[in-house]
Amino acid sequence: MSALSGVRMADGRYADGSWELKIKVTDMSIKNERGELITDVDIPVLVTTELHIGGVIAKLVDQLKSKYDITKSWSDYELWWPRTSKWLDKMGQVLGKYEVQADAQLLYTPKHKVIRVQLPDLQYANIRVNFAAKVFHTVIEMCKFFDIRHPEELSILVPPKVGKDKDRNVKHQHSNGSTDEGLLTPNVLTPGLTPTSPYTPGSPMYNTLTPKNMKGSPMSSHSLEFLDSAYVDPKLLITSAKPSQQARANLYRPKNLLDKARYNTGWLDSARCLMEQGVEEKSTIFLRYKFYSFFDLNPKYDAVRINQLYEQARWSLLCEELDCTEEEMIMFASLQYHITKLSENTDEEMEQNDNRDIEQALQDLEGSLGTNSISSKGDITSVPELANYLKLFKPKKFTLKGYKKHYFIFKDTNISFFKTKEDAASLISPTTIKLKGAEVVPDVNISEDKYIIKLFIPSAEGMSELWLRCDTDVIYCQWIAACKLAAKGHTMADASYETEVQNFRTLLKLQKSGSSNGSASNDGLAQLTTNIEPEYYIARRHLRKLGNKMAIRKVQESVTNYSSYNLVNAKLAYIKAWQALPEFGLTHYLVKFKSARKEELVGVAYNRLIRMDPHTGEAIKTWRFNTMKAWSVNWDTNQVIIELAEEDSTVLFACTRFSPKLVHELIGGYIFLSMRTKDADETLDDEKFFKLTGGWTG
């Protein structure tokens, strides 16, 4: 007599210690006794606690073969335990080690499933990805397909939940297949093919996409299929002024800093798979740049990457994720309009048109844009100095005092100031400002001749604020470049100083072009009016103030200033101006510091952590990554712990609304990115990434 017909205990086990494990097999296409097509079947498998996973699968497959006469490859199938959100993928592990009991309901399901991905340019693609692979590896495979270099800069964001009615409409549209608007190359199904690419495995550029321990693994071959195309879609290289209806419906427009902090909790854990984090088949995920440290941005290899970066920059401004002045908004809108027209125009002469002066101004930008790294060359023997009359202002809550003129000297990483130049020559003891570890924020308004450098100096009480106003743009570029370097601990003798000065001059040139006061002809304005919808070029806040007609006129007045830019340089200029905004690259989270009564904001940038006021966004305290000797997570209290080397102290804050892994991964991820070099044979060391971002000490 078999165990099935034997004595069954109250806990579901039989007298011989065996028990029935309920397993649902998904993604089947078989017919039952009545000839009906079914996709899922439930199979009870007789097991014991000591039976290993491989044995369970062998028994399951035998039953499927005998009962349904199914003979197929099960290589892509694995056991999934929904209740614990865990893949049972260790074939030699016994059920007892996984703590699987008789009440468990398992799924035998394919690892590779279809998911809908929205790229930074708001286009959608239906892709088959490995739901059992770590998100870090999934992103690498996606970027390899889309021909985006340096996938370590991107990650997956789960979009915020929308209202019930809107969510129901989107689901209904997707289920009946009517939401192909905005889909890359729709209705071309090519299963089993890997994408073609202009690059071949083994080339120096391509190696950066392959983690060390993925070579030869199942993940590295046929792991991702683009269901709508077997090649990189040319739409990834161009820009469209108007996104699809579905993309517009999913745009997120934060109202304040707290909204931004909530939105950032949607980033997935890079060390866990999609399935473990609740991502379901056919759901929508966002592929976005998460780490704002763009390494080796090269127009020769990065056409797709530059376009996707430009698009993410564009929508972050239009959705007001980043704030900018009206003057800057017109500059961005004019550049965008020029880029859109170039993308639509097939005339080669227009594409090749360039200006030597602009090429000269952008030559450093093309090769090193956004690397956020300082030259390794040491300081030379003679350290340059700056000396100018500047205006100083110390803002306070209750003060009517304005700017006072002083004579300033910039030397090493410090600023000294005197009442007059004669006082400096007389060796009168100066007031000194130490810039190392400070925050440097530009505040420029070309039309008002306002060139202000805002300095937030770390002190025992927090951050003290000083404003320096320069008389000319030339002085401004020299001083802000020096301040930026000094904040990182470098002097003007550093080889990157002249590059920094040139970058700020280029940025001012863009803003001057954007604030042009030339008059537009009525014919030109009429033509532009028919071609432009202001809401897709100018953020709502500025559009409400300007009105449609005035906004269009301002764009028309300044767009001709960019006519000499070719498509790539226009996008690079847009990205560079985006990077220069004061709020650029900050990822906000709402946390509670030790001994604090209320929650505050933490802003994570590429090189520092900032404690911020949640209402005003003002910096209270800054800690640079190069002063940290350890960072970890206390999983029992959900606290992030940062040990500082210079101050010999510890920073502690609790993440009460989300996992502390999010903040820890950002810190560790930026430190990982800072270690990259231009070594042609360098591979992506995923083991180091997981070690730095895992949340553990040691």
Side-chain angles (χ1 to χ4, degrees):
M1 182 181 294
S2 67
L4 286 173
S5 58
V7 180
R8 190 168 185 173
M9 308 300 182
D11 62 356
R13 299 177 184 271
Y14 293 97
D16 63 353
S18 62
W19 41 281
E20 287 183 3
L21 177 62
K22 301 180 182 67
I23 302 178
K24 176 178 285 188
V25 185
T26 71
D27 293 64
M28 304 293 291
S29 295
I30 58 177
K31 292 184 179 180
N32 59 15
E33 296 82 358
R34 296 188 295 273
E36 300 170 337
L37 188 68
I38 56 176
T39 56
D40 300 340
V41 294
D42 292 306
I43 304 291
V45 179
L46 195 64
V47 301
T48 66
T49 305
E50 298 303 315
L51 184 62
H52 54 75
I53 297 300
V56 174
I57 292 174
K59 283 192 169 189
L60 175 64
V61 171
D62 285 343
Q63 288 198 49
L64 287 167
K65 184 176 181 180
S66 61
K67 187 173 182 180
Y68 297 102
D69 193 26
I70 297 175
T71 54
K72 62 175 287 185
S73 173
W74 300 97
S75 60
D76 194 44
Y77 277 70
E78 279 186 6
L79 289 173
W80 169 256
W81 192 359
R83 193 179 71 189
T84 59
S85 295
K86 185 188 299 181
W87 286 99
L88 310 185
D89 53 1
K90 297 178 181 177
M91 295 297 109
Q93 192 81 281
V94 298
L95 291 173
K97 286 286 186 179
Y98 274 118
E99 300 182 352
V100 177
Q101 302 294 330
D103 60 345
Q105 171 74 63
L106 304 184
L107 296 180
Y108 193 49
T109 186
K111 294 178 293 183
H112 289 82
K113 300 178 183 293
V114 177
I115 198 162
R116 192 175 183 85
V117 179
Q118 188 194 70
L119 288 106
D121 64 2
L122 305 188
Q123 295 188 83
Y124 291 90
N126 289 334
I127 297 178
R128 194 187 309 278
V129 298
N130 191 341
F131 271 62
K134 293 178 179 179
V135 163
F136 186 74
H137 292 154
T138 301
V139 171
I140 288 170
E141 289 297 311
M142 287 182 183
C143 290
K144 184 186 296 185
F145 185 85
F146 290 121
D147 203 21
I148 300 174
R149 289 202 309 154
H150 297 292
E152 65 274 15
E153 298 168 0
L154 296 93
S155 191
I156 293 174
L157 180 73
V158 174
K161 293 183 178 180
V162 295
K164 293 182 179 180
D165 294 335
K166 185 183 292 186
D167 190 44
R168 192 182 301 118
N169 291 337
V170 171
K171 282 188 176 181
H172 174 71
Q173 291 174 358
H174 186 73
S175 64
N176 63 25
S178 62
T179 55
D180 280 345
E181 185 188 6
L183 193 66
L184 294 173
T185 318
N187 305 323
V188 181
L189 183 63
T190 315
L193 291 179
T194 53
T196 58
S197 170
Y199 311 110
T200 56
S203 69
M205 190 288 301
Y206 196 89
N207 283 342
T208 61
L209 304 181
T210 308
K212 287 181 178 178
N213 67 1
M214 282 176 64
K215 294 179 180 178
S217 70
M219 184 69 192
S220 63
S221 177
H222 299 283
S223 59
L224 180 147
E225 297 169 9
F226 188 23
L227 295 187
D228 303 298
S229 177
Y231 61 94
V232 175
D233 197 292
K235 289 183 181 178
L236 294 170
L237 299 170
I238 61 174
T239 182
S240 173
K242 195 172 181 179
S244 68
Q245 184 177 354
Q246 185 183 9
R248 290 199 300 272
N250 286 329
L251 285 174
Y252 185 74
R253 300 178 186 272
K255 296 179 180 178
N256 48 44
L257 288 170
L258 299 182
D259 274 358
K260 295 178 185 179
R262 294 187 195 101
Y263 187 69
N264 288 325
T265 60
W267 289 107
L268 297 188
D269 186 340
S270 294
R272 299 168 64 207
C273 70
L274 293 173
M275 204 92 153
E276 290 173 333
Q277 301 183 72
V279 178
E280 300 177 355
E281 185 176 12
K282 296 181 181 179
S283 59
T284 300
I285 58 174
F286 292 172
L287 182 65
R288 294 289 189 272
Y289 281 89
K290 176 180 179 179
F291 298 100
Y292 296 93
S293 179
F294 314 130
F295 185 75
D296 188 27
L297 196 58
N298 192 326
K300 186 176 179 180
Y301 303 115
D302 289 322
V304 175
R305 184 176 173 216
I306 288 171
N307 187 59
Q308 296 302 317
L309 261 175
Y310 157 72
E311 289 285 353
Q312 184 159 329
R314 166 195 171 193
W315 289 107
S316 70
L317 291 166
L318 292 179
C319 293
E320 300 181 40
E321 293 175 26
L322 265 74
D323 194 17
C324 65
T325 65
E326 178 184 309
E327 201 170 54
E328 291 165 336
M329 191 75 254
I330 296 300
M331 174 193 67
F332 284 118
S334 302
L335 269 171
Q336 181 190 331
Y337 182 74
H338 178 64
I339 291 167
T340 303
K341 296 305 293 181
L342 285 178
S343 297
E344 295 172 352
N345 198 317
T346 57
D347 187 352
E348 292 186 4
E349 291 183 2
M350 186 172 189
E351 175 62 23
Q352 295 299 324
N353 185 25
D354 62 87
N355 181 282
R356 290 184 179 180
D357 292 337
I358 293 175
E359 289 293 337
Q360 181 66 31
L362 292 172
Q363 61 180 354
D364 293 324
L365 175 67
E366 294 181 0
S368 61
L369 177 64
T371 58
N372 291 326
S373 63
I374 302 299
S375 171
S376 59
K377 295 181 181 179
D379 290 354
I380 59 178
T381 304
S382 177
V383 178
E385 297 180 12
L386 290 175
N388 293 100
Y389 274 103
L390 306 177
K391 295 176 182 176
L392 175 67
F393 177 59
K394 298 179 180 180
K396 295 181 180 179
K397 288 186 177 179
F398 304 102
T399 180
L400 297 176
K401 295 181 179 180
Y403 286 93
K404 287 187 176 181
K405 197 170 186 178
H406 296 276
Y407 187 73
F408 287 80
I409 297 176
F410 198 118
K411 185 176 181 179
D412 295 325
T413 59
N414 303 322
I415 295 177
S416 302
F417 62 93
F418 309 81
K419 286 187 176 181
T420 64
K421 185 176 181 179
E422 289 71 25
D423 288 346
S426 302
L427 300 178
I428 294 176
S429 180
T431 303
T432 302
I433 305 168
K434 295 182 179 180
L435 290 180
K436 190 174 181 180
E439 292 299 309
V440 182
V441 179
D443 184 7
V444 175
N445 190 315
I446 301 291
S447 60
E448 297 178 5
D449 286 329
K450 184 176 78 173
Y451 303 100
I452 296 175
I453 304 169
K454 294 183 178 180
L455 302 175
F456 298 87
I457 315 298
S459 63
E461 296 77 24
M463 301 289 280
S464 58
E465 188 174 356
L466 297 172
W467 296 5
L468 302 180
R469 183 159 186 164
C470 306
D471 291 333
T472 67
D473 56 348
V474 174
I475 295 174
Y476 166 79
C477 291
Q478 293 172 341
W479 278 80
I480 193 167
C483 289
K484 286 277 187 179
L485 286 180
K488 301 170 187 176
H490 299 267
T491 70
M492 287 183 287
D494 194 281
S496 64
Y497 173 67
E498 289 301 327
T499 302
E500 285 288 322
V501 173
Q502 186 60 49
N503 285 341
F504 281 107
R505 286 175 181 166
T506 302
L507 183 61
L508 288 184
K509 181 183 287 188
L510 290 174
Q511 294 185 23
K512 286 178 180 178
S513 298
S515 61
S516 172
N517 293 319
S519 58
S521 67
N522 292 332
D523 292 341
L525 182 59
Q527 183 181 1
L528 184 62
T529 305
T530 61
N531 294 335
I532 187 172
E533 295 180 71
E535 63 268 28
Y536 296 114
Y537 291 84
I538 296 175
R540 289 178 178 177
R541 179 172 69 89
H542 295 294
L543 195 56
R544 282 195 295 266
K545 180 181 177 182
L546 292 170
N548 285 4
K549 289 185 178 180
M550 179 58 71
I552 292 172
R553 181 175 292 278
K554 282 182 173 289
V555 172
Q556 172 65 23
E557 288 173 352
S558 62
V559 72
T560 55
N561 294 297
Y562 307 111
S563 59
S564 56
Y565 282 57
N566 66 24
L567 185 58
V568 172
N569 279 347
K571 289 177 182 177
L572 286 170
Y574 193 105
I575 294 168
K576 185 61 180 178
W578 176 52
Q579 288 180 296
L581 293 175
E583 296 178 7
F584 167 79
L586 281 180
T587 305
H588 302 88
Y589 287 104
L590 198 61
V591 302
K592 190 172 184 181
F593 281 87
K594 184 180 179 180
S595 303
R597 292 184 178 182
K598 298 180 180 180
E599 289 180 309
E600 297 172 76
L601 281 178
V602 155
V604 186
Y606 79 94
N607 63 349
R608 65 199 186 280
L609 188 75
I610 309 169
R611 184 175 182 175
M612 306 174 73
D613 185 292
H615 303 294
T616 64
E618 292 181 359
I620 299 172
K621 183 76 173 177
T622 298
W623 302 277
R624 292 194 171 269
F625 294 159
N626 58 13
T627 66
M628 299 179 185
K629 62 181 180 181
W631 62 99
S632 59
V633 171
N634 184 329
W635 298 103
D636 295 328
T637 59
N638 275 351
Q639 287 181 317
V640 176
I641 305 163
I642 299 171
E643 298 177 38
L644 302 173
E646 291 185 354
E647 301 177 20
D648 196 24
S649 60
T650 301
V651 177
L652 217 69
F653 55 85
C655 306
T656 58
R657 303 171 186 241
F658 58 94
S659 170
K661 177 66 160 51
L662 288 174
V663 177
H664 188 280
E665 183 174 308
L666 264 181
I667 297 172
Y670 275 123
I671 291 173
F672 171 78
L673 296 186
S674 70
M675 298 177 179
R676 295 178 293 182
T677 66
K678 290 190 177 182
D679 184 356
D681 296 325
E682 184 182 23
T683 54
L684 192 55
D685 191 347
D686 55 343
E687 291 182 4
K688 182 184 288 185
F689 176 85
F690 291 130
K691 183 177 180 180
L692 291 171
T693 61
W696 307 98
T697 56

